[in-house]
Amino acid sequence: MSVIYAGIVMFSPLSFFTTLLKWPLRVLVKFKIVPDNAVRELALDLNRPVFYVCHTESASDLATLRRVCQKLALPDPLTPVSLDGRQLSRTLFLVKPHSVIGGRSKTRALEQGQQLLQLHLANPQLDAQLVPVAILWGRAPGKENSIKWLLGEANAPHWLAKMLIVLVSGRHTLVRLSRAVSLNQMAAQFGDTADTARKLLRMSRFHFYRQKLAATGPKLVNRSELFNALLASPALKQAIEDEARSKKVPVKVARNEAHKLLQEIAADYRESTLRVGDRVLSWLWKKLYSGIKINNADMLHDLAQKGHEIVYVPCHRSHMDYLLLSYVIYHQGLVPPHIAAGINLNFWPAGTIFRRGGAFFIRRSFSGNKLYSAVFREYLSQLFSKGYAVKYYSEGGRSRTGRLLQPKTGMLAMTVQSMLRGIERPVTLVPVYLGYEHVMEVSTYVNELQGQGKKKESIGGVLKAIRHLRDYGFGYVNFGEPIQLNQYLNQQVSDWKKHINPLEVQKPNWLNPLVAKLANQVMQHINQAAALNATNLIALSVLATDKHIMTRDELSQQLDLYINLQRQVPYHPNVSLPEADADGLIKHALTLQKVNSSSDGFGELIGLSAEHSVLARYYRNNVLHLFMLPSLLACAVLHQRSISRQQLLGYIEQLYPLLQAELFLYVSSLQTYCQAILQFMTEQGLVESNGDNYYAPAQQSRYYYQLSLLAYNAEDTLQRYAIVLNLVQAQGPLSRPELEKRSHQLAQRLLNLHGIVAPEYYDKGLFTTLINALKEAGISHTDSHNQVCRSERLEKLTQTVNTLLRNDILQSLQSIMPQQAAS
């Protein structure tokens, strides 16, 4: 390295070549830094000495590191550090590269590390920071049994190989900075012996190994070799024999059928496709979005560094989900996951592109095809055993209403079953909330809910969508609280490891109930990471007005109210709030043409067109769960002259099991949370209190108006509850299909009578969910003929819901009931 005497820099050979390569590498090397703002995100203190540790002593690595440090305003890695009057090299290298002929020599890393520890032990005030920097030339994982070590698969390539690597992969370089190690703490905890320095270096080597694995993934298996290995597995061999026996065909025919199924299912992952896709998507996002907001991504790096098998479980709102999440993961310096994609997307040429990007295809249903089920399960298990990250959508399809759908548990069950084959590394589910200020398919969703058929995906549809590209505002990728499956299983089934069988897995009795509970928790964690933005907040506000129009001042006040509510009484810490203030949100919505602006002599009005009023409900439903409990409290206060805290909490406790099932609500303490909301509403003037009694403010006040707008957000939910509960109460017992049918018919009548425009009223699935929730909560019960019957709890809940319902809606329900019974 360089040594300074009287202000003159004396160059070592490495320093000389590093300086010499400065300009050539500016042309040959393009790098991505993770994290983008390393000083802030890694909490680096530039007032303390900074050292760097890199894997390989290389002039090209050091020259690249210099450029990175210059961009991040970090100290130059070539300049020495003065500690207690001693000049020390700022950069430590763990290994030297191989020589063209022969082996390789040792670096001075052990000596440098011990020297640093000794200085810190002698003077604890020094407290220098050691920053690991991983420099990855390209993101290709390599292939098993490959001899292409010249293109980067060698651990420490010689200078000739490195030159080829830079030429081939230099423009796809990833530089990952990690959290600094406090040398003071290391010295105090472990001392300054050579053993401590060796331990520090071993930790560093393992760190760099994990960094590379996290960024590139495990080596790829040749596709034909993978198929042969799968077909030779005991479980699949048994399934093939069973297929041959049941269909009375030769085993060879059944084996060929299994091979065809593997070709239909399996991904054909290629890093070159990712690189091209990265360029295309970078261009596309600039056309489509004002920006991509990402939250809680640090958690991913921690999991990857600890060697976790990551399974991404996002919500599903748009076909853009497939591309957006993989793009974000790739730009976080992590390997994109293998993606479970619907077979409907396997059309030319998209299917081939998706497959090479890591997609594997899944049919909508496995029923009646035992061989397909066995082949798919074996393939998924192989992905986990090899260590590939995986992504699947537990909802099974895109939400047409904006709410989370009830989860399908098949993929989750196969994930747990794969663990029962003895996966050694920890497996962690990462729920992901994906949000948009505009979903391209939203208008088709409304049409589908109203009875129009779902259009089949095709290249023509893709080209048509591309022609209509415009700015769709911001996209949001919020990573939720992870669920470590090993820990979860330990908590739920203490002896689950007794069921581990590497060859054949028999479904244990506890599997289905556990997976159902786990799926529900995943959905709760997705909703806990919701993103508030201009579109959904304005939809919450403007849709609550009769004509879907309000003054700009009123809208600004309501937006401030909702943001302050989530800031002061957060539904969950993972919920992300907008950076802009209310005025900025309105301006942004106007540029997106989500709302209309008009003016008269009294000021500016903000409203929704008839078309946008329907679509806005979709965006409101994305975040409705965040405001459902405050809205119900507001509704209860409005409908009573005076109501006690005990009554309010009683109402919420009655409704909470149904809300949990439909909106995947979860708060750790319902009473504490509701009391905090009441305190906030009182401080804001929305409600007034006298001891433990609450009542609404004067009707002519703006606070009454704000309370009414907040209460409106619970109306659609209460109306659907009232439909089902009053039908059972007035006309029960009813079979489940009949109750669902009549509920749907009654909802359509209310739509026509009251001009209600709500996409979820067309969704029969919501009535099914409610009827199931009533049974599971013990509110309704079924008789010997499997008919839904009323009960004392159901009668009490019906009275509560009717109390909170608008009088005109309640009157319509009661007048329609006899007619429907007669029909």
Side-chain angles (χ1 to χ4, degrees):
M1 297 298 294
S2 57
V3 183
I4 297 181
Y5 294 102
I8 300 174
V9 179
M10 304 299 291
F11 289 99
S12 69
L14 180 62
S15 303
F16 173 74
F17 284 114
T18 298
T19 307
L20 192 66
L21 287 173
K22 176 180 178 180
W23 296 111
L25 290 185
R26 283 189 176 274
V27 177
L28 295 173
V29 176
K30 182 178 179 182
F31 52 78
K32 163 75 177 174
I33 304 173
V34 180
D36 294 328
N37 190 340
V39 175
R40 178 177 57 82
E41 295 183 43
L42 300 179
L44 296 177
D45 185 354
L46 299 185
N47 294 317
R48 293 161 51 198
V50 175
F51 290 85
Y52 307 108
V53 57
C54 299
H55 183 266
T56 307
E57 185 175 304
S58 160
S60 53
D61 284 30
L62 191 53
T64 301
L65 178 57
R66 290 191 77 190
R67 288 176 60 195
V68 169
C69 291
Q70 184 179 19
K71 186 173 182 179
L72 297 175
L74 287 168
D76 187 337
L78 275 183
T79 62
V81 181
S82 178
L83 288 183
D84 272 0
R86 301 180 67 173
Q87 299 290 328
L88 304 171
S89 296
R90 189 181 295 277
T91 308
L92 289 73
F93 297 100
L94 298 182
V95 298
K96 279 185 176 289
H98 290 85
S99 60
V100 177
I101 301 174
R104 62 184 178 189
S105 56
K106 293 184 178 180
T107 66
R108 295 182 57 245
L110 180 61
E111 176 189 338
Q112 291 171 303
Q114 189 172 3
Q115 190 176 32
L116 284 170
L117 292 171
Q118 288 172 348
L119 287 170
H120 280 79
L121 202 60
N123 183 1
Q125 301 302 315
L126 295 177
D127 200 13
Q129 306 160 99
L130 183 63
V131 181
V133 184
I135 301 175
L136 302 176
W137 299 90
R139 306 279 290 274
K143 295 183 178 180
E144 289 188 359
N145 305 318
S146 171
I147 60 171
K148 296 180 180 178
W149 60 274
L150 281 177
L151 294 183
E153 295 180 24
N155 188 38
H158 54 68
W159 68 268
L160 181 58
K162 194 58 172 281
M163 183 175 69
L164 293 175
I165 290 168
V166 171
L167 288 172
V168 173
S169 303
R171 298 189 65 79
H172 310 286
T173 302
L174 176 71
V175 180
R176 167 73 182 164
L177 287 82
S178 300
R179 290 198 176 275
V181 175
S182 170
L183 288 167
N184 195 352
Q185 291 180 7
M186 286 292 296
Q189 186 173 358
F190 300 108
D192 61 352
T193 64
D195 286 341
T196 301
R198 288 191 186 93
K199 181 176 182 179
L200 182 59
L201 297 184
R202 280 198 305 272
M203 290 168 55
S204 299
R205 289 190 186 96
F206 190 65
H207 172 86
F208 286 122
Y209 165 75
R210 282 276 173 83
Q211 288 287 307
K212 185 178 187 329
L213 189 63
T216 65
K219 290 188 176 183
L220 299 176
V221 183
N222 180 278
R223 208 158 182 260
S224 60
E225 291 179 4
L226 171 65
F227 288 0
N228 290 333
L230 289 172
L231 292 170
S233 67
L236 204 46
K237 284 177 70 176
Q238 183 62 52
I240 290 170
E241 291 172 4
D242 291 344
E243 178 79 359
R245 192 162 41 251
S246 65
K247 293 192 174 179
K248 298 179 181 179
V249 297
V251 171
K252 184 177 179 180
V253 173
R255 191 178 190 277
N256 288 339
E257 179 61 24
H259 190 272
K260 289 179 183 178
L261 291 175
L262 280 172
Q263 288 180 315
E264 174 190 310
I265 293 167
D268 188 15
Y269 184 93
R270 302 188 185 187
E271 197 266 342
S272 58
T273 302
L274 293 180
R275 290 195 296 192
V276 174
D278 179 42
R279 292 180 193 147
V280 173
L281 290 179
S282 295
W283 168 84
L284 182 63
W285 300 146
K286 289 177 182 177
K287 291 285 185 183
L288 282 180
Y289 301 116
S290 304
I292 307 297
K293 305 279 190 179
I294 305 165
N295 290 286
N296 202 26
D298 285 349
M299 169 265 297
L300 299 180
H301 300 296
D302 292 340
L303 291 173
Q305 188 60 38
K306 292 174 182 175
H308 285 238
E309 176 81 22
I310 300 179
V311 180
Y312 300 92
V313 193
C315 61
H316 200 7
R317 308 203 191 281
S318 168
H319 282 317
M320 280 296 167
D321 298 345
Y322 299 105
L323 304 175
L324 181 60
L325 182 53
S326 292
Y327 176 84
V328 166
I329 292 169
Y330 186 74
H331 277 259
Q332 288 296 315
L334 300 172
V335 61
H338 280 57
I339 310 162
I343 195 70
N344 58 307
L345 293 178
N346 191 20
F347 61 89
W348 187 89
T352 301
I353 296 171
F354 289 157
R355 199 184 292 276
R356 292 183 177 185
F360 58 97
F361 293 97
I362 179 173
R363 295 178 183 178
R364 292 297 182 190
S365 173
F366 290 15
S367 61
N369 195 333
K370 292 183 179 179
L371 181 61
Y372 180 85
S373 179
V375 169
F376 189 90
R377 186 169 59 247
E378 198 69 20
Y379 175 73
L380 186 65
S381 181
Q382 183 78 354
L383 291 180
F384 289 135
S385 65
K386 291 289 184 182
Y388 299 112
V390 173
K391 176 178 72 176
Y392 52 74
Y393 300 90
S394 61
E395 293 170 283
R398 292 166 291 155
S399 169
R400 266 62 177 173
T401 64
R403 301 163 180 261
L404 293 185
L405 302 176
Q406 292 298 308
K408 305 290 193 298
T409 57
M411 290 292 291
L412 203 53
M414 283 187 274
T415 303
V416 176
Q417 284 179 287
S418 295
M419 291 190 64
L420 296 179
R421 294 195 169 196
I423 296 176
E424 294 181 2
R425 71 183 62 82
V427 177
T428 298
L429 303 176
V430 176
V432 189
Y433 176 94
L434 298 173
Y436 305 88
E437 290 186 317
H438 179 85
V439 172
M440 289 190 294
E441 306 99 319
V442 71
S443 58
T444 66
Y445 292 167
V446 176
N447 294 334
E448 289 172 19
L449 286 169
Q450 292 176 343
Q452 292 187 14
K454 180 179 179 293
K455 291 184 179 180
K456 187 177 180 180
E457 282 74 21
S458 67
I459 186 60
V462 173
L463 294 174
K464 183 178 178 182
I466 291 174
R467 287 202 307 270
H468 294 88
L469 292 182
R470 62 179 180 86
D471 185 0
Y472 291 142
F474 288 99
Y476 298 84
V477 180
N478 289 1
F479 295 98
E481 183 181 345
I483 302 171
Q484 294 189 20
L485 272 185
N486 304 66
Q487 292 183 5
Y488 186 85
L489 286 171
N490 288 337
Q491 293 167 359
Q492 302 295 324
V493 185
S494 57
D495 63 344
W496 69 274
K497 291 184 179 179
K498 292 181 180 177
H499 297 269
I500 290 177
N501 185 332
L503 297 179
E504 188 69 35
V505 176
Q506 296 294 331
K507 266 190 180 182
N509 295 332
W510 49 260
L511 181 66
N512 288 343
L514 178 136
V515 168
K517 185 177 179 180
L518 177 60
N520 194 65
Q521 188 169 327
V522 168
M523 305 308 278
Q524 289 175 351
H525 286 203
I526 291 174
N527 264 350
Q528 287 170 355
L532 288 172
N533 57 52
T535 301
N536 54 43
L537 282 169
I538 289 175
L540 279 164
S541 305
V542 180
L543 286 173
T545 62
D546 288 338
K547 302 297 182 182
H548 300 163
I549 191 168
M550 58 198 307
T551 70
R552 185 168 186 141
D553 287 343
E554 289 170 344
L555 177 56
S556 182
Q557 290 169 359
Q558 197 70 12
L559 293 176
D560 281 334
L561 173 69
Y562 289 155
I563 293 171
N564 287 333
L565 172 59
Q566 290 301 324
R567 184 172 287 128
Q568 295 182 35
V569 192
Y571 174 77
H572 192 273
N574 285 341
V575 173
S576 63
L577 304 181
E579 297 170 3
D581 59 12
D583 187 57
L585 294 177
I586 296 171
K587 288 179 180 176
H588 181 59
L590 286 169
T591 61
L592 296 178
Q593 301 175 10
K594 290 295 182 185
V595 292
N596 303 321
S597 173
S598 60
S599 297
D600 55 24
F602 299 98
E604 186 179 5
L605 296 170
I606 305 293
L608 294 165
S609 66
E611 179 188 2
H612 282 159
S613 294
V614 178
L615 303 182
R617 291 179 181 270
Y618 178 93
Y619 302 108
R620 181 198 66 174
N621 288 346
N622 290 173
V623 293
L624 186 62
H625 62 283
L626 302 180
F627 297 93
M628 182 53 68
L629 296 180
S631 296
L632 285 171
L633 290 169
C635 199
V637 172
L638 278 175
H639 283 77
Q640 302 286 329
R641 289 183 178 273
S642 177
I643 185 168
S644 68
R645 177 181 295 155
Q646 186 177 358
Q647 281 180 291
L648 284 169
L649 295 177
Y651 285 168
I652 298 298
E653 287 174 354
Q654 276 186 282
L655 291 165
Y656 189 63
L658 306 183
L659 297 170
Q660 270 193 309
E662 180 179 324
L663 297 174
F664 302 102
L665 290 186
Y666 178 79
V667 290
S668 56
S669 172
L670 187 60
Q671 285 207 1
T672 302
Y673 179 64
C674 289
Q675 287 175 4
I677 293 170
L678 288 171
Q679 179 67 25
F680 171 84
M681 293 167 69
T682 305
E683 292 171 355
Q684 295 293 315
L686 299 184
V687 300
E688 298 179 5
S689 63
N690 182 10
D692 278 346
N693 292 322
Y694 296 87
Y695 51 93
Q699 288 192 17
Q700 66 272 21
S701 69
R702 76 173 177 89
Y703 301 111
Y704 185 92
Y705 181 61
Q706 286 188 290
L707 185 67
S708 302
L709 295 180
L710 176 60
Y712 177 85
N713 292 310
E715 283 197 3
D716 289 342
T717 300
L718 289 171
Q719 287 164 14
R720 281 184 293 100
Y721 289 2
I723 288 170
V724 174
L725 292 169
N726 282 286
L727 275 172
V728 176
Q729 189 68 22
Q731 301 178 12
L734 292 169
S735 67
R736 285 170 54 95
E738 183 66 20
L739 179 56
E740 291 173 14
K741 176 184 173 183
R742 292 193 187 185
S743 297
H744 193 250
Q745 290 174 341
L746 187 49
Q748 306 311 298
R749 174 62 69 89
L750 289 180
L751 288 176
N752 295 327
L753 284 176
H754 297 279
I756 301 170
V757 184
E760 55 265 39
Y761 270 60
Y762 295 98
D763 187 2
K764 295 179 182 179
L766 287 176
F767 290 109
T768 304
T769 298
L770 175 56
I771 294 166
N772 288 337
L774 288 170
K775 180 182 178 182
E776 290 174 9
I779 297 171
S780 69
H781 71 274
T782 54
D783 61 16
S784 57
H785 301 290
N786 205 28
Q787 293 181 312
V788 181
C789 304
R790 56 177 175 258
S791 66
E792 186 177 337
R793 285 188 66 189
L794 187 138
E795 182 178 355
K796 186 178 179 182
L797 180 60
T798 305
Q799 292 173 353
T800 295
V801 171
N802 289 348
T803 299
L804 301 177
L805 209 59
R806 275 169 38 191
N807 288 332
D808 57 338
I809 300 291
L810 181 59
Q811 177 60 35
S812 294
L813 279 174
Q814 293 175 343
S815 65
I816 295 169
M817 288 292 178
Q819 300 174 27
Q820 196 179 47
S823 64

